[in-house]
Amino acid sequence: MDIQYWNREVETLDREGLARLQLKGLKETVDRALQTEFYKRRLQKTGIRSADDIRSLDDLKKIPYTTKNDLREAYPRGLLSVDTDRVVRLHTSSGTTGTPTVIYHTTEDLANWTELCARGIVATGSSNRDVFQNMMGYGLFTGGLGLHYGAETVGMLVIPSSSGNTARQLRLMKDFQTTVVHVTPSYMLHIQSRIEPEGYKREDLNLKKAYLGAEAYSESTRRKIEELMGIDAYNSYGMSEMNGPGVAFECVFKDSMHIWEDSYIVEMYDAARQRELGEDEEGELVLTTLRRTATPLLRYRSGDLTVLNGAPCRCGRTHRRIARIKGRTDDMLIINGVNVYPSQIESILMKIPEVGTNYQICIEKDGSLDRLTVKTEIYSKMFTGDVQVLEELKRRIREQMKAAILINPAVELHEPGGLPVYEGKAKRVFDTRPKD
Ligand code: AMP
Ligand code: ZN
């Protein structure tokens, strides 16, 4: 296979070279962090007064973790490390669950972010010959703008369609023969389900690849999308605190995501046991920025669960890989004492061929017990009027759930289009149990 790189030198740099870059980046980051009100206070107790106190990468361990809550408390300027006249953009989180968080960018920050996105795009085999339709929201959400500049830098023809308006998305895809889309997996499934109802055939489209990210999804969902659309789907990971998309991307081998270690120091943490983890152990991803100037973050706890993989990749990139994100630490559901992640339920559903492209997980209190209801769309050909067929399908879904997650849910079947559609990140879990 012909392997392409955007920045071959850095992407294939040996581990010693990467460690040298990391140490240099860490020293610079600590110096910048000390310019912020937040870290000036936070680092006081550690004895770190300047970059000179960082002599090896191990010195990072002296620094406490930074959490999302710290970012909220530092809102709006507590983590800004440069004069405002050097800042050219900011992104905030949606703030739907409380005080938002803010990340500032200088021109250099945007250039670095763009480079990381370009690396990811090229790693999937895309090039300036591709037509790139970016269906992620443009605006404060980083999904749109982030990859937009990466794609332009690679020289792709970029269609900034943003999220929503499915009929227009399909029309753009057909008229401009889009080859690559960037989209949430849930919206990709919805787009697929609308091809025929909107009057198109799959052959009208020239789609070859999808970059799927912004929400947790299972390998079965990737497979389903690949099979239904006849494309290659690549996992793309990022979060606004670390810029946005472009933090980690799958290469052509589609086997976990290379995380750019010249720009981030990767650590793993087991929050329940409060201990650090090594490679191959599942835990929370912790990242330190190395190249960011306006908002440096040290040991930021992402809340995302994954496994770090140090095995060499056939593509020749030396940056380690992270496994598909299982979910967020705060996504875990405890249903009648059983721990389950929504992605596990999704994974079972998407392997069942009759199951359509949309589903919901509902949990409510029923007396002293928790009751799980899985609502799922199924393909219209299943609605033949034969109740027995539907009952048999429900039974099969229940059995597979019981075998995999030890919970026997109620199952509701819906016609295609019967459940609400989300154009950005999908809301799948509806937990109405009283919080105590
Ligand atoms: P935001 O800061 O709004 O862009 O959200 C970032 C969060 O989206 C991450 O912390 C993850 O929880 C989630 N996310 C982004 N990309 C992926 C992905 N490829 N797989 C699973 N979750 C993802
Ligand atoms: Zn690779």
Side-chain angles (χ1 to χ4, degrees), residues 382-393:
M382 292 295 296
F383 286 99
T384 54
D386 188 343
V387 179
Q388 242 176 338
V389 175
L390 297 179
E391 284 306 319
E392 199 284 318
L393 175 59

Side-chain angles (χ1 to χ4, degrees), residues 196-384:
E196 284 182 15
E198 292 292 341
Y200 301 100
K201 293 193 289 299
R202 172 62 184 91
E203 309 80 82
D204 295 333
L205 309 178
N206 191 27
L207 194 67
K208 307 269 193 280
K209 290 184 198 133
Y211 300 154
L212 304 178
E215 61 188 15
Y217 63 111
S218 61
E219 189 63 33
S220 343
T221 294
R222 184 225 299 258
R223 295 251 165 79
K224 182 164 187 141
I225 290 172
E226 292 194 321
E227 279 161 23
L228 287 172
M229 294 292 292
I231 59 170
D232 283 306
Y234 295 87
N235 201 359
S236 146
Y237 172 77
M239 75 189 100
S240 49
E241 297 92 318
M242 292 294 134
N243 292 342
V247 175
F249 232 94
E250 279 183 339
C251 66
V252 281
F253 295 105
K254 294 196 284 190
D255 180 12
S256 314
M257 300 174 281
H258 289 282
I259 184 155
W260 302 120
E261 292 187 84
D262 60 312
S263 297
Y264 304 101
I265 291 179
V266 183
E267 295 176 272
M268 298 298 296
Y269 182 62
D270 176 346
R273 296 196 187 80
Q274 301 198 347
R275 63 185 183 109
E276 287 167 24
L277 298 171
E279 288 176 4
D280 305 317
E281 294 180 286
E282 183 179 280
E284 183 177 346
L285 181 71
V286 175
L287 295 175
T288 296
T289 62
L290 294 174
R291 292 169 80 193
R292 269 238 304 261
T293 57
T295 316
L297 290 178
L298 296 163
R299 307 191 88 196
Y300 181 69
R301 284 182 52 186
S302 68
D304 290 324
L305 286 171
T306 184
V307 180
L308 181 61
N309 171 3
C313 183
R314 284 174 288 164
C315 72
R317 288 180 181 79
T318 47
H319 301 239
R320 288 179 293 177
R321 285 171 286 163
I322 52 169
R324 176 176 296 287
I325 307 290
K326 182 175 176 187
R328 297 186 53 78
T329 45
D330 43 16
D331 276 352
M332 191 180 76
L333 300 165
I334 305 179
I335 302 174
N336 294 325
V338 178
N339 298 350
V340 53
Y341 281 92
S343 60
Q344 291 174 282
I345 297 181
E346 185 206 78
S347 176
I348 301 161
L349 281 178
M350 292 297 159
K351 278 189 203 132
I352 302 175
E354 295 89 340
V355 164
T357 52
N358 202 354
Y359 72 97
Q360 284 184 351
I361 297 166
C362 305
I363 310 128
E364 59 200 335
K365 210 74 195 164
D366 183 11
S368 60
L369 289 179
D370 300 322
R371 193 168 61 193
L372 170 67
T373 306
V374 174
K375 301 183 181 177
T376 177
E377 289 183 11
I378 57 175
Y379 288 113
S380 47
K381 59 178 184 291
M382 292 295 296
F383 286 99
T384 54

Side-chain angles (χ1 to χ4, degrees), residues 43-173:
L43 294 185
Q44 234 161 29
K45 295 189 205 91
T46 65
I48 297 172
R49 307 261 174 277
S50 78
D52 293 342
D53 295 319
I54 302 287
R55 286 179 200 93
S56 77
L57 287 172
D58 281 340
D59 287 330
L60 178 64
K61 312 265 186 221
K62 294 179 185 158
I63 300 173
Y65 292 112
T66 304
T67 63
K68 190 159 197 111
N69 217 29
D70 292 328
L71 260 61
R72 290 197 174 114
E73 280 172 18
Y75 184 86
R77 264 176 287 277
L79 275 159
L80 177 62
S81 63
V82 297
D83 288 338
T84 43
D85 53 7
R86 283 190 56 204
V87 177
V88 296
R89 197 196 300 163
L90 65 77
H91 283 277
T92 73
S93 63
S94 61
T96 41
T97 52
T99 312
T101 58
V102 57
I103 300 294
Y104 298 94
H105 298 276
T106 61
T107 307
E108 294 144 88
D109 292 335
L110 293 182
N112 286 333
W113 181 10
T114 296
E115 183 194 330
L116 301 189
C117 289
R119 284 188 208 170
I121 289 168
V122 171
T124 65
S126 296
S127 72
N128 58 357
R129 290 182 297 278
D130 282 290
V131 178
F132 177 71
Q133 191 166 326
N134 194 2
M135 301 185 188
M136 289 286 190
Y138 279 66
L140 286 171
F141 175 56
T142 52
L145 285 167
L147 229 56
H148 176 102
Y149 288 107
E152 277 188 0
T153 300
V154 170
M156 296 165 112
L157 165 55
V158 180
I159 310 175
S161 58
S162 197
S163 57
N165 200 339
T166 307
R168 189 178 67 179
Q169 299 284 5
L170 283 165
R171 175 149 195 197
L172 290 166
M173 283 169 84

